[in-house]
Amino acid sequence: MQSIIQEDTESIVRRISPVAQDFAGKTVLIIGGLGFLGRNFRAVFDILNERVLSAPCKVLVVDSLITSTTKTGGGDDEDVFMHHDIRNPIQIDEKLDYIIHCAGVASPFYYRRFPVETIEVATLGTKNILELGKRDGARVLFFSSSEIYGDPTEDHLPTREDYKGNVACIGPRACYDESKRLGETMCYIYSEYFDTHTTIVRPFNVYGPGMRETDYRVLPNFASAIKAGRPLPIYASGKQTRTYCYLADAMVGFMLALAKGKKGQPYNIGNPNPEISVSELADLIAEVTGLSFERLRQDYPESYPADEPQRRCPDITKAREDLGYAPEVSIEVGLKRFFEFTQATFEGVELD
């Protein structure tokens, strides 16, 4: 299924052609470079170096391996890899032009398991990264989350970047939600007080080929259950809604934000259409893939944090106007490609 991933990567490179030469001859540091998004950034820079750039860019990769285990997947052998926990200060002797901070514990299953690490990566780790950006005058891209909005009120759906949020500071999700909010505050401070060029992206439910089977978010959970012949787990009422953004669309948005994002500004990166419930998502999967499966309505497992937001849908007007961002992949096409990948690569493991 490398062909699907390769096709997606080539699509991303084609769609970012207006800004591609901005990276020629530059040095890029990717924090969290062995994670789902980090591997895709590395793959994009590989193709840029092979086919597009007038001078190659150098890619430095840092990862703590807290939720990754090996230096594999995406990126070529010329990547300079450093095994380092970004919660601790890091020594990079080279001058950096771009810093992508996509390290973090984003899956609810894992940030419930690693709450302190989750907080510290988004706060102490972000400060360490911003110090490098301040030192070198680098453009820093900070990965926040749509979770910083909490459970938006009806009058703030779709949700714009100026919505201040409806977030609990105490509870099982707070370690992620609140630390991402504080990470954004760090970016604001370094932008305003130290003139560091920081840009913030808030991803909305990104999915696609390359996700790990043990990611524990809804689509990998569904895919693993289907591969094993288990019923799809539908938690609670199944009426909670989301919009889903295919990886290739999201990566285009992230690359545009890295190259063109305005200093100190946050951008929603996602696909606002369609907003569908978890139950409707299961129906759509059956329709577009032709796969057969049962559904099992059940309570949330103990490993899943309580207080799940009931709706989440982005307003992407700001990203359209500032970045020229426009999702192209329909949910039907995205789901078909994702399940082609998972049917070929997932094993149907028993999830905790």
Side-chain angles (χ1 to χ4, degrees):
M1 285 292 104
Q2 283 298 114
S3 60
I4 290 180
I5 295 174
Q6 181 73 14
E7 288 169 5
D8 284 345
T9 306
E10 291 177 354
S11 167
I12 295 162
V13 170
R14 173 182 54 79
R15 292 167 62 187
I16 65 168
S17 60
V19 300
Q21 293 302 331
D22 291 2
F23 304 106
K26 301 299 175 62
T27 300
V28 181
L29 173 65
I30 306 175
I31 309 296
L34 301 190
F36 175 49
L37 297 180
R39 295 195 307 271
N40 281 280
F41 274 113
R42 292 162 59 207
V44 168
F45 283 114
D46 281 350
I47 293 183
L48 288 175
N49 278 341
E50 291 169 6
R51 308 180 190 175
V52 178
L53 299 185
S54 58
C57 65
K58 184 172 185 178
V59 179
L60 310 178
V61 176
V62 173
D63 203 291
S64 70
L65 305 180
I66 187 172
T67 56
S68 300
T69 56
T70 57
K71 184 184 179 298
T72 59
D76 62 24
D77 293 336
E78 295 180 2
D79 288 346
V80 178
F81 173 70
M82 181 184 300
H83 181 194
H84 181 81
D85 188 336
I86 199 58
R87 294 180 294 164
N88 303 312
I90 184 170
Q91 180 67 36
I92 303 287
D93 293 330
E94 299 183 57
K95 182 182 183 301
L96 303 171
D97 299 292
Y98 295 94
I99 302 174
I100 301 168
H101 182 11
C102 56
V105 185
S107 168
F109 175 87
Y110 288 109
Y111 64 66
R112 186 173 175 85
R113 178 177 289 183
F114 301 113
V116 174
E117 292 88 342
T118 297
I119 293 169
E120 292 180 344
V121 167
T123 55
L124 301 178
T126 300
K127 182 178 184 297
N128 290 331
I129 291 307
L130 290 168
E131 281 293 316
L132 290 176
K134 173 186 170 185
R135 181 197 74 181
D136 291 348
R139 295 178 69 105
V140 179
L141 184 67
F142 173 66
F143 273 74
S144 182
S145 170
S146 60
E147 297 278 355
I148 64 102
Y149 297 121
D151 202 355
T153 56
E154 292 291 327
D155 56 327
H156 287 95
L157 286 159
T159 307
R160 294 173 17 140
E161 288 86 349
D162 57 5
Y163 177 58
K164 292 181 171 58
N166 179 24
V167 184
C169 63
I170 295 175
R173 291 179 175 270
C175 64
Y176 185 71
D177 303 358
E178 292 289 63
S179 65
K180 287 295 189 182
R181 288 166 67 91
L182 185 53
E184 291 198 14
T185 302
M186 286 275 199
C187 290
Y188 164 79
I189 290 171
Y190 272 74
S191 174
E192 291 294 312
Y193 289 82
F194 304 118
D195 201 32
T196 305
H197 194 295
T198 64
T199 301
I200 298 161
V201 287
R202 297 169 178 167
F204 278 72
N205 294 89
V206 176
Y207 75 98
M211 294 186 86
R212 292 179 4 180
E213 185 168 2
T214 54
D215 180 275
Y216 289 97
R217 281 177 278 195
V218 61
L219 281 168
N221 278 359
F222 280 4
S224 183
I226 291 170
K227 188 61 183 284
R230 299 189 301 266
L232 266 61
I234 307 291
Y235 297 152
S237 69
K239 295 180 180 179
Q240 56 272 43
T241 67
R242 298 289 185 270
T243 64
Y244 297 90
C245 185
Y246 189 65
L247 174 66
D249 280 338
M251 285 298 301
V252 170
F254 301 151
M255 291 295 293
L256 291 173
L258 180 64
K260 298 175 61 178
K262 292 184 178 179
K263 180 168 163 279
Q265 291 299 305
Y267 294 97
N268 291 337
I269 300 297
N271 192 335
N273 297 301
E275 182 183 0
I276 62 174
S277 71
V278 175
S279 294
E280 291 168 335
L281 177 65
D283 293 339
L284 187 58
I285 291 168
E287 178 184 333
V288 302
T289 65
L291 298 170
S292 298
F293 46 81
E294 297 180 356
R295 300 158 178 79
L296 178 62
R297 192 69 54 82
Q298 62 188 73
D299 294 333
Y300 289 104
E302 289 187 8
S303 60
Y304 195 84
D307 302 324
E308 180 183 29
Q310 291 305 296
R311 292 182 65 187
R312 185 170 294 124
C313 178
D315 183 320
I316 61 170
T317 303
K318 185 175 178 182
R320 287 186 189 277
E321 294 178 350
D322 287 3
L323 309 177
Y325 171 63
E328 294 182 357
V329 182
S330 70
I331 190 169
E332 291 83 3
V333 170
L335 288 175
K336 188 172 186 301
R337 293 177 71 80
F338 176 67
F339 280 91
E340 285 178 7
F341 168 81
T342 61
Q343 284 293 100
T345 60
F346 281 17
E347 298 177 355
V349 298
E350 191 70 40
L351 300 177
D352 295 335

